[in-house]
Amino acid sequence: MKNGMLTIFRKELARFFGDKRTVLGTILLPGVLIFVVYTFMGSALSNQFSVDEDFAPTIQAVNLPDSIAALADQAGVDIQAAADMDQAKSLIREQELDLLAVFPSGFDAQVAAYDVASGQSAPVVELYYNSASVDSSTAYEMLDALLAGYETSLANKFDVNPGEGTYNLASEADTAGTLMSSMMPMLLVIFLFSGCMATAPESIAGEKERGTIATLLITPVSRSGLALGKICALSIIALLSGLSSTVGTLLSMPTLMQLDGEMHMAYTPAHYLALCLIILSTVLFIVTCISLISAFAKTIKEAQTYVTPLMILAMVVGITAMFGGGASTQAWAYLIPFYNSVQVMAGIFALEVNWTFLLIALVSNLAYTAALTWGLTRMFSSEKIMFQR
């Protein structure tokens, strides 16, 4: 059995790596394309929804009071007097002016005389801007924050987070880890599944379609050796494809996530070990699932059709990491195929590795893989399935 399994194993690897175009398209190209596309997306989003560091908004005002003019000068915000309010509004619509602030006449006197307990309406400041313009929206946020601070200072009875102290205790690693734990499990499942789907149907359904499966079945290789040899070889190929896509994603994450500088993640060798173990067990399970489904199909196209619902299910399960609020703390969750892998990955990327839950997920995936491999062995022994037309 061992020699037969190794023969099939070497045959599958030789068939795959013997075709340079297949190697390029399956392993190298996905990672490169993902890196280029995600990096471009991150840069485009950054340019579209942010302004330059030296951004100076163009703001005009009607009846600009001395108090606001002084605050704006201290904040480095230049506000010019508006010659005509209607013309200024037209310029904002045309995105040639960022903001128009309209103050009531005698604003400072009205504010000084206003009594909150009187029940009368407070003086109203109108800010006109164009939300379709990033510059205009930024100018609105700047002046709105300036006015909000001034309004608070007039009747302020206590301070909230005063001074320049650091009140947000979340580290950059925690922040980045939260983002990674919501995104990466879904992406990893998709990448791994895509790698398996690109190779497994060709290996089994392709053999049936070409008629070469008969040659394999009459060789002195046991059915279990045939199944294990194919699964092990396909797992290595799928792992390489998934690794390429994962590396491309990780390299593009700082730009895609709009994080300042590099992601200073506190990942340790233990995190990487845990990630490798769960990825390996997940790939084995996926490959076995697709191989079992492919054995029922007559052609590669038919096999891919049968596998598509399973891929959609895996993608839906992967999305749960984005809305789950972190890895599950229930042991039973790590017994569910796909879901257990997603939960373990979410914990790893969030810098929290629960080795007990990891062990449960690994044992579960390997148990499911063993059961499906036995089922694949039985299918290889069925002439009705293998030679169907």
Side-chain angles (χ1 to χ4, degrees), residues 12-185:
E12 290 295 324
L13 291 182
R15 179 183 60 83
F16 178 81
F17 287 103
D19 189 339
K20 295 181 180 179
R21 290 178 297 180
T22 303
V23 173
L24 178 64
T26 305
I27 297 179
L28 299 180
L29 196 58
V32 174
L33 288 178
I34 287 170
F35 172 74
V36 172
V37 171
Y38 281 9
T39 301
F40 175 77
M41 287 174 55
S43 299
L45 290 173
S46 177
N47 294 333
Q48 183 176 357
F49 298 108
S50 63
V51 296
D52 297 333
E53 293 182 1
D54 57 351
F55 169 68
T58 56
I59 301 175
Q60 293 184 5
V62 175
N63 300 324
L64 180 64
D66 294 337
S67 58
I68 302 301
L71 287 174
D73 186 61
Q74 292 177 6
V77 179
D78 182 35
I79 303 179
Q80 301 293 328
D84 182 85
M85 189 168 71
D86 291 334
Q87 183 183 14
K89 289 181 179 179
S90 178
L91 291 174
I92 291 175
R93 292 188 187 96
E94 297 171 2
Q95 299 188 17
E96 296 180 8
L97 178 67
D98 294 331
L99 184 73
L100 172 66
V102 180
F103 297 87
S105 181
F107 174 78
D108 286 338
Q110 291 185 34
V111 169
Y114 177 70
D115 183 8
V116 178
S118 66
Q120 298 179 355
S121 299
V124 176
V125 180
E126 299 174 332
L127 301 179
Y128 297 93
Y129 70 105
N130 188 336
S131 62
S133 168
V134 176
D135 291 351
S136 183
S137 298
T138 304
Y140 169 77
E141 294 172 0
M142 292 173 63
L143 192 58
D144 181 60
L146 188 70
L147 293 173
Y150 177 64
E151 179 188 13
T152 303
S153 68
L154 297 177
N156 188 29
K157 301 299 182 181
F158 61 91
D159 295 323
V160 178
N161 292 353
E164 299 179 356
T166 301
Y167 299 98
N168 184 2
L169 303 182
S171 65
E172 184 178 355
D174 292 333
T175 303
T178 300
L179 292 172
M180 295 284 281
S181 66
S182 65
M183 292 282 293
M184 285 305 296

